[in-house]
Amino acid sequence: MTRLAFLAGEPVLMSGGGDNAIKMWLCDDASARLLRERSGHSANPTLVHFYNGGSNGGVGAGRELLTAAADRSVRMFSLIQDQQSVELSQGKLESKANKTGAQLTSLKLPQVTALASSTARERQWDSVLTAHRGQPFACTWNYV
């Protein structure tokens, strides 16, 4: 599935598609040129959310994208420096799978159905909240 969205008040188009990448395009004349591309999910991103004040402004607003995908992972993508992009960890699942003989995918949380974030007091509290398919509880994540 392909999704397209313009950034409010900007000549910038965000796209996501079957290549599991999020791309930022500059549409400043009759054409569009690729500004940045971020990838890392092994399945389609299903949710994308601006982190760090994206909707309410503030310093650093809109510089990071919080994404969830059908591969049951949650990632934080920096739109400025790709080296700062990370997967929010679910723990040492590979080690646990090796010790227990379970398959790695069976140990992952179910697919994320909703996500939210807040940078208020992010150094003291977890700043990301996720809801997962079929789970009666939410999970919190620390991203600092």
Side-chain angles (χ1 to χ4, degrees):
M1 175 181 354
T2 300
R3 300 274 180 156
L4 299 170
F6 276 98
L7 295 183
E10 300 286 335
V12 176
L13 177 68
M14 301 294 291
S15 69
D19 61 356
N20 302 334
I22 297 170
K23 297 178 183 175
M24 180 184 277
W25 304 86
L26 179 62
C27 304
D28 56 355
D29 53 26
S31 65
R33 64 183 168 95
L34 183 63
L35 284 177
R36 292 181 180 89
E37 176 180 359
R38 298 293 183 256
S39 58
H41 287 293
S42 61
N44 292 339
T46 54
L47 297 170
V48 178
H49 172 80
F50 275 104
Y51 179 81
N52 202 13
S55 62
N56 62 358
V59 177
R63 292 185 181 171
E64 296 160 314
L65 285 175
L66 181 61
T67 63
D71 63 5
R72 301 176 358 192
S73 66
V74 178
R75 296 187 67 86
M76 186 71 74
F77 289 105
S78 169
L79 297 178
I80 307 304
Q81 292 185 346
D82 194 33
Q83 305 90 301
Q84 295 177 347
S85 299
V86 296
E87 179 174 351
L88 300 181
S89 177
Q90 293 186 37
K92 297 181 180 182
L93 297 182
E94 282 188 37
S95 173
K96 190 181 243 184
N98 289 338
K99 287 179 184 175
T100 63
Q103 289 189 1
L104 181 64
T105 55
S106 69
L107 298 175
K108 283 190 164 189
L109 289 167
Q111 185 173 345
V112 175
T113 57
L115 54 87
S117 67
S118 174
T119 57
R121 300 191 68 160
E122 71 181 338
R123 298 216 182 270
Q124 292 88 19
W125 301 338
D126 291 347
S127 56
V128 177
L129 178 73
T130 56
H132 298 263
R133 179 168 285 129
Q135 298 297 314
F137 55 83
C139 296
T140 60
W141 308 82
N142 187 357
Y143 176 73
V144 177

